Amino acid sequence: MPVKVSVVVPVFNPGAYIEDCVASLLRQSLPPDAYEVIFVDDGSTDGTPARLDALAAAEPRVTVLHQQNSGWSGKPRNVGIAAARGEYVMFVDNDDYLGDEALERMYGYGVANAADVVVGKMAGKGRGVPVELFRRNHPRATVENAPLIDSLTPHKMFRRAFLDDIGLRFPEGRRRLEDHVFVTEAYLRAANVSVLSDYVCYYHVRRDDASNAGFQRFDPGGYFKNLREALDVVERYTEPGPGRDRLFRRWLRVEMVERMRGRRLLAMPADYRRELFEEIHQVVVERFGPGVAAGLQPTQQVVAALIAADRYDDVEAFAEWESGIALAAVPERVAWEDGILRVAFTAEYTSAGEPMTFTADPAREPSADPTRALSASPPEEPAAAIAWVGADTLARFGKATVDLLLRERSSAAQYFQPVEFTREQRPAGDDGHDGRFRLVLRASAAVDPATLTREGLWDAFVRVKLGGWTKECRLGPAPRTERPAPPAGVAGGHVVLPYWTAPHAHLALDVDRATHRIGLSALTPDAVTVAGDRLRAPLPLHAPDDGTPVALRLTSSDVALDVSATLSPHGSGALLQAVLPLGELRGATWRVALGTPGRSRFLTLPFALRAGTGAVRVVRPPGSGALRRSVRGARRRLGTLLGRTAARLQHRRPARRR
């Protein structure tokens, strides 16, 4: 079979972190003879070379190339491209890993859309990844119609013939931002770029020791020299004007302005952030015209203006103010409606822990030049900047947006949920007439369990874009008077339990993993009936429709039987109904578990079925009484032990001096 995908992995001293990468590459759903994995060892000095050689000896799809250390990832990737036989080349770092279906899905999507570049959805474990780019699939994306420029890492799939036709390779040597140079040119010269957003293809992993190459502190002079090379690529393939300004704005925003803001700036050593500022200032005045900063958000415009004016002290003062700003999201209602989990909440910004207030400036138009406000009174420039931001944020409130994201805790996979919201401008003063306002977003999200792609614990996050900030926080804590969560629901092929985390009372969803917590223990055998071969059991679950399909698993000794069943709304819960295979149940006691079709996990129900001559009786599960007695006995013994220990400690306590 022709090789469809060549996976190129540059390797340098990854240690144990390479194991997840290797395992994910060998688990790919693409047939083993349809892809190859090329590890390029860049002079590793740990045990990795021997580990990879042994892997290659056992796996025909794996090739290992060894070379002297080149200093960075550019040359190993180029060596991998030269050795690749696949139609597409996929780049993976040695401490990251792929989703099991990543290669198959990305290759199929690329072929279907004749893509030169395929960008797969990313998740970040301990590190940030693009969010807006992956709201939906983009079969034909460009730098004009999608935020492609937000994703400049090389962890994508490139058509090999495209790379050869335009002679595109990575800059080599010990340097930074070689991926920016490579990916930017690929975006600008590709006939088509496709973005696959409905499956997490690539997992970026931050090492526990933060030793990833991209997390190391860099030399500002060398870093921004390399950044200029990426800007050169943009100038080479674009014309002056708004399009070029929009692309340049990405580097101004991400690599410069955001490094000079809030806690991120203040966390750096003072001498280093001053050095960083000076290098950023040089790039801004050399390369960016006024149209680049003009499209930034208000707070970003302020910082960009201060950088251009070479006012470092004011940048620090503005960062001190910004560092106290956060987002708070309060849940108001969580309830099932026809198989959809409705989540109502409010969100607003806070400053120093209190609701943030904004004052209107009637004389100021939205999007005005921030430098005019800043130059009005030089002794109070930081205060003037803050006032300008507040007035502009209030003026732009009509463009504020709010989203609810669900993020799976172990993998960091995340998905947007549909949200409807309104904007409320509330007076903040005691009498409501002092001109100050709170800006509150009131939202309702519709969570469809069918969109949750895997079992696990899913945390709810709220994301707000308002003024110059895009901030994110957990949904919660819930007010103590409003913390009852709805029951578990069977919908979208999942058993979903909404719950409040401890101790912070944030909203989370347990998908296909909950056992005792869904309240099944309240069900007694007396409530379950069997008439002939018909079983009926009321369960404390939400069922969206009459006849929701579920599955029962009956087990006795080493025998297991799967029985089709249904759930229907019944009072405040659901009614489980099934037709039992009486001919297969004779002479045994059968434990009963509930699941959804196609899922491997089942929830044990608190009753069993005992088959006798001509009838089936409902009984307690075998051993349940003994287990309860054992637990009660253990609790009594533990209480006795703790009491004796406390008495001994009291006896030994020295008398207090008078």
Side-chain angles (χ1 to χ4, degrees), residues 206 411 458:
R206 179 171 183 167
S411 68
W458 293 76

Side-chain angles (χ1 to χ4, degrees), residues 55-73:
L55 177 65
E59 282 286 348
R61 62 191 132 165
V62 174
T63 300
V64 181
L65 305 175
H66 299 280
Q67 65 180 31
Q68 291 185 341
N69 182 256
S70 66
W72 210 249
S73 299

